[in-house]
Amino acid sequence: MSNSFDHVILKLSRFLERDNFKGYDPYDGLNSKFLRFLTFNRKWLRIAVIQFMKRFPINLRHLFGIAKGRNPKAMGLLASAYIELYKQTKDENYLKKVREILEWLMQNRSQGYLGSAWGYNFDWQSAIFYIPKGGPTVVNTAFIANAFLDAYEITKEKNYLDIARSSCDFIMKDLQRTSLQSLAEGKGHPDRIINSSYGTGRAERESTDSITKKNIPSPLMGEGKGEGEMTNSSYCFSYTPIDKSCVHNANLLAAELLARVYSITNEENLLRSVEQSVKFTMSYQNPDGSWYYGLATRQKYIDSFHTGFVLVSLYNLINYIDATDDGRFRPHTLSLQGRQILLKGYEYYKKTFFEDDGLPRYYHNNVYPIDLHCSAQGIITFLRFKDYDKNAVDIAKKIANWAIDNMWDDKKGYFYFQKMKLFTNKIQYLRWPNAWMFLALARLANMP
């Protein structure tokens, strides 16, 4: 490991392992039976409880009976981080931790679906849909399945690949799809859900609301399509099995996982889904290179770490699609426009979301809250683009050093959650931001 960050990585690992990977989460407010009772099963009261517990700078969880728990998404991030450290050090203790975490994840999959999937260890209410504890999301599933693929790459144990391939079945068979054609014809609207509970299977719905697609060239050249053409057959994967929301980072995380598995198994049906879902998100890139979080009315904002998700997923899946069995590349599978869109998005991200000293900006038009999830994703994103940008690694190190100088508690060995204009929220959360920073620093530690 790099001498610059090994001290922080080792201390942070002790914090994460202290309670056997159990911890609090900013969004775990509904794990309180008392607070959940006070919501009377009303959407906005649930949101109020979650946001109060997230934003209040004093940790009241012990008063409301909220216990520390294992978060599946955090476990996936930690597994990927330990794999990074194992690759650098060849310390078998890291690989042992990976195996223990992945075994726990195999035993704690969401039940009742056609593929392996994972949710959160708490109920979660967004402005669009309600996800009960354990209800799977494509975001959690993608990060966790990628951890299994990381393990497969170093161990060649087929059961890890089988789990990730099973998650592709979740994406392909359990998630909803919203096509550009249905949006253009007013037959679907991303503000609405299909039903309020999980496990009821795929469903169709209709709406008189209409969203007109933007006339932006297709990034991928599909079979029989010329460069620059957009077809209404492209679609967006849903966030969960119960909604038809169109969230760009979730859609591309699904596509990235399909592309990564395709690069191993060469299943053409996976590749076709990648092409169609990528076309959808590419068609919604804004003229300045940005993407809104999603298509729904309440999702028309541009933030740092979700933009980073989009860019990293797009970068990765392009390389997975282009790679051949002998390690060569066949770039004809992607149009030049696709790479131009990727780099345009990267340049927007680079100039918008970080100050010269490494301070992260949460939104495109506002620094606050200063959130280390933005810092962690910034490190990961710039490292991914190091072959495009000779300054990318230096920017990643600058972001890490700012986080350590301003948001790191060296005595207790963890990173603070958020910094507001008037106060800093120092609650010790495990997943957000500490599991993210652990993964980011593990990847950064091996850079020259």
Side-chain angles (χ1 to χ4, degrees), residues 139-239:
V139 173
N140 285 18
T141 299
F143 282 115
I144 292 168
N146 272 296
F148 279 96
L149 289 174
D150 292 342
Y152 170 73
E153 288 180 353
I154 63 169
T155 67
K156 300 304 177 185
E157 295 179 17
K158 189 174 180 296
N159 62 312
Y160 292 149
L161 174 60
D162 291 341
I163 293 292
R165 177 59 185 85
S166 175
S167 292
C168 293
D169 286 335
F170 169 75
I171 292 171
M172 301 282 286
K173 299 176 182 179
D174 288 308
L175 294 181
Q176 305 291 325
R177 303 180 191 186
T178 299
S179 70
L180 281 174
Q181 182 174 353
S182 68
L183 292 174
E185 295 177 353
K187 294 182 178 179
H189 196 286
D191 279 310
R192 300 186 179 181
I193 65 171
I194 299 166
N195 49 62
S196 60
S197 62
Y198 275 76
T200 56
R202 295 181 63 86
E204 296 296 331
R205 66 200 168 105
E206 293 187 357
S207 169
T208 57
D209 298 312
S210 176
I211 297 178
T212 303
K213 71 181 180 66
K214 294 166 64 177
N215 185 24
I216 295 179
S218 165
L220 291 173
M221 291 193 297
E223 182 179 352
K225 303 294 186 296
E227 182 172 339
E229 287 188 286
M230 169 58 69
T231 65
N232 284 351
S233 62
S234 59
Y235 52 75
C236 182
F237 288 110
S238 63
Y239 204 98

Side-chain angles (χ1 to χ4, degrees), residues 22-33:
K22 293 181 180 180
Y24 295 122
D25 192 274
Y27 292 90
D28 62 7
L30 293 177
N31 274 351
S32 166
K33 294 181 179 179

Side-chain angles (χ1 to χ4, degrees), residues 40 71 85 92 101 190 206 213 309 346 364:
F40 302 103
N71 185 303
L85 296 176
E92 290 292 330
I101 291 172
E206 293 187 357
K213 71 181 180 66
F309 285 174
Y346 173 72
H364 76 290

Side-chain angles (χ1 to χ4, degrees), residues 223-348:
E223 182 179 352
K225 303 294 186 296
E227 182 172 339
E229 287 188 286
M230 169 58 69
T231 65
N232 284 351
S233 62
S234 59
Y235 52 75
C236 182
F237 288 110
S238 63
Y239 204 98
T240 75
I242 67 165
D243 73 281
K244 294 196 80 171
S245 62
C246 297
V247 175
H248 293 306
N249 78 88
N251 184 45
L252 286 192
L253 282 165
E256 178 193 356
L257 178 60
L258 296 179
R260 189 174 182 185
V261 173
Y262 161 77
S263 71
I264 301 170
T265 66
N266 294 313
E267 296 171 80
E268 289 297 322
N269 64 316
L270 300 183
L271 177 59
R272 287 193 296 271
S273 286
V274 172
E275 291 173 339
Q276 299 292 30
S277 54
V278 171
K279 287 177 184 179
F280 185 98
T281 288
M282 290 297 89
S283 73
Y284 281 97
Q285 186 180 41
N286 295 319
D288 62 1
S290 66
W291 281 271
Y292 291 118
Y293 173 75
L295 301 194
T297 304
R298 297 181 182 276
Q299 297 172 337
K300 295 293 186 180
Y301 59 86
I302 304 168
D303 73 88
S304 176
F305 66 88
H306 288 116
T307 301
F309 285 174
V310 168
L311 293 172
V312 171
S313 289
L314 183 56
Y315 180 101
N316 286 342
L317 68 86
I318 285 175
N319 284 281
Y320 294 142
I321 290 172
D322 281 355
T324 60
D325 292 338
D326 57 7
R328 296 180 299 170
F329 288 86
R330 41 185 175 85
H332 61 276
T333 58
L334 278 173
S335 70
L336 178 60
Q337 183 68 24
R339 294 189 182 276
Q340 290 174 340
I341 288 174
L342 174 64
L343 294 180
K344 185 176 183 180
Y346 173 72
E347 290 301 326
Y348 174 86

Side-chain angles (χ1 to χ4, degrees), residues 3-18:
N3 291 330
S4 303
F5 303 109
D6 59 355
H7 167 77
V8 174
I9 291 172
L10 290 172
K11 278 200 167 184
L12 185 55
S13 68
R14 295 190 190 108
F15 166 80
L16 296 166
E17 297 166 12
R18 185 175 61 195

Side-chain angles (χ1 to χ4, degrees), residues 70-80 97-111 116-119 140-141 143-149 151 160 163 167:
R70 279 187 169 184
N71 185 303
K73 186 177 182 179
M75 296 293 276
L77 298 173
L78 295 176
S80 290
K97 290 183 175 71
V98 171
R99 294 185 186 280
E100 291 173 353
I101 291 172
L102 295 185
E103 179 62 30
W104 184 87
L105 287 168
M106 285 190 280
Q107 298 300 320
N108 286 273
R109 286 173 278 186
S110 299
Q111 299 300 306
S116 296
W118 293 266
N140 285 18
T141 299
F143 282 115
I144 292 168
N146 272 296
F148 279 96
L149 289 174
Y160 292 149
I163 293 292
S167 292

